[in-house]
């Protein structure tokens, strides 16, 4: 255990961990939304993330940007960020809609057992990932440099770059917006009602199929923006990257309390920090192991996660 490596750049590891954790948190929101309403683990959500990430790169390519392009000028940067986010959100929301309509809705109509949903989710995940793999010939796809990784300021000796600020700020802003939407809007009240009791909500005049579709769309849009932010941060994308990232996002949702929106954010940020601190203490090869061990240990003492409040009981 190399404590010197950790404490010599503790601020840097913290900022990087929060950046990684912010992406986990955005993807985790989709898992926790769907589980909160349907009690379903949507393992195809990782490929919803991938759809948005690829869509952003291909959208930028349509505007003439390739992996060697560097965007300059504040106006141009904001334009391409908005375009990339919109394209990614629409692509991921569309993918999530297709998954809900084609894979899950027929099973709900037939009152299929939970195992059927689980197998269908895994099958859909593999099918979508392989489709992207075939289309890209299993080669990495490069993203343009939309935001330069320049240092903006220093906090407690740690450099904060433009990319890190963008990722963390975007995740926090989207989380706050989603929390307000769920707790204060009419549709949000419908989502909470369906999450609490689908049959009673239907008797009150709430169209549960419409609410479930909206949940998939919102979760998909969040994952799409996370995919664009991943492109900006990493710079390259492969068809298979969604598997491990989706698994960690699901871990983040469980860590914070599956079905809890704020728990997904806390779990994602915490998981990112644990990973980065572990890489400093034990080496980069140990970060995944330590992250999942921490999850297992936490669930042994708090099975409902850190917050443990279900979506149906969210405060108005």
């Amino acid at each position: 255990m190399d404590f010197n490596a950790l404490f010599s750049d503790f601020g840097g590891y913290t900022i990087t961990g929060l950046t990684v954790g912010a992406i986990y948190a955005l993807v985790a929101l989709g898992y926790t939304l769907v589980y909160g309403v349907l009690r379903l683990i949507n393992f195809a959500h990782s490929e919803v993330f991938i759809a948005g990430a690829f869509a952003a790169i291909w959208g930028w390519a349509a505007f003439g940007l390739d992996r060697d392009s560097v965007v300059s000028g504040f106006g141009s940067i904001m334009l391409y960020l908005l375009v990339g986010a919109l394209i990614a959100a629409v692509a991921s929301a569309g993918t999530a809609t297709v998954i809900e309509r084609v894979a899950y809705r027929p099973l709900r109509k037939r009152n299929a057992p939970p195992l059927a949903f689980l197998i269908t989710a895994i099958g859909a995940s593999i099918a979508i990932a392989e489709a992207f793999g075939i289309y890209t010939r299993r080669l990495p796809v490069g993203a343009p440099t939309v935001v330069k990784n320049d240092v903006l300021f220093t906090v407690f000796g740690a450099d904060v770059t433009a990319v890190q600020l963008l990722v963390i700020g975007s995740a926090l802003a989207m989380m706050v917006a989603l929390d307000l939407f769920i707790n204060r809007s009419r549709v949000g009240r419908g989502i909470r009602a369906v999450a609490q009791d689908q049959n009673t909500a239907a008797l009150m005049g709430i169209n549960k199929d419409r609410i479930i579709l909206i949940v998939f769309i919102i979760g998909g849009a969040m994952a799409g923006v996370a995919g664009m932010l991943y492109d900006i941060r990493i710079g390259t994308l492969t068809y298979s990257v969604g598997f491990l990232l989706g698994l960690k996002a699901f871990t983040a949702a469980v860590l914070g309390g599956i079905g809890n929106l704020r728990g997904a954010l806390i779990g994602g940020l915490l998981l990112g920090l644990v990973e980065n601190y572990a890489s400093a203490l034990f080496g980069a090869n140990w970060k995944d192991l330590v992250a999942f061990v921490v999850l297992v240990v936490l669930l042994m003492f708090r099975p409902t996660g850190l917050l443990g409040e279900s979506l149906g009981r969210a405060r108005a």
Side-chain angles (χ1 to χ4, degrees), residues 47-81:
E47 274 53 57
V48 173
F49 161 83
I50 284 295
F54 274 116
I57 293 177
W58 293 334
W60 287 325
F63 284 86
L65 300 180
D66 58 23
R67 65 187 308 162
D68 298 320
S69 301
V70 179
V71 179
S72 59
F74 180 78
S76 297
I77 291 172
M78 292 304 298
L79 174 63
Y80 285 119
L81 282 176

Side-chain angles (χ1 to χ4, degrees), residues 92-110:
S92 288
T95 303
T97 300
V98 171
I99 292 173
E100 194 278 329
R101 287 291 185 92
V102 175
Y104 297 143
R105 183 169 295 191
L107 295 178
R108 292 204 315 274
K109 297 297 184 183
R110 293 172 172 80

Side-chain angles (χ1 to χ4, degrees), residues 17 22 46 65 74 78 109 144 146 152-153 160 166 168 173 191 200 218 239 252 254 269 294 314:
S46 57
L65 300 180
F74 180 78
M78 292 304 298
K109 297 297 184 183
V146 178
L152 296 181
F153 53 88
V160 179
L166 172 68
I168 297 173
I191 292 174
T200 302
I218 293 174
Y239 78 99
V254 175
L269 296 178
V294 168

Side-chain angles (χ1 to χ4, degrees), residues 201-274:
L203 291 174
M204 298 296 292
I206 298 174
N207 187 332
K208 67 177 183 179
D209 285 334
R210 175 174 171 269
I211 291 296
I212 290 170
L213 181 60
I214 290 174
V215 164
F216 272 86
I217 291 173
I218 293 174
M222 292 283 182
V225 175
M228 184 208 67
L229 294 174
Y230 180 91
D231 293 336
I232 292 174
R233 181 178 181 271
I234 303 299
T236 58
L237 180 68
T238 58
Y239 78 99
S240 60
V241 75
F243 174 75
L244 183 58
L245 192 143
L247 189 59
K248 289 183 178 179
F250 173 67
T251 300
V254 175
L255 193 63
I258 188 72
N260 186 299
L261 297 179
R262 297 171 188 176
L265 177 65
I266 294 173
L269 296 178
L270 180 61
L271 185 62
L273 289 174
V274 168

Side-chain angles (χ1 to χ4, degrees), residues 145-161:
T145 304
V146 178
V147 178
K148 296 179 182 178
N149 204 28
D150 297 332
V151 176
L152 296 181
F153 53 88
T154 302
V155 178
F156 300 114
D159 293 334
V160 179
T161 66

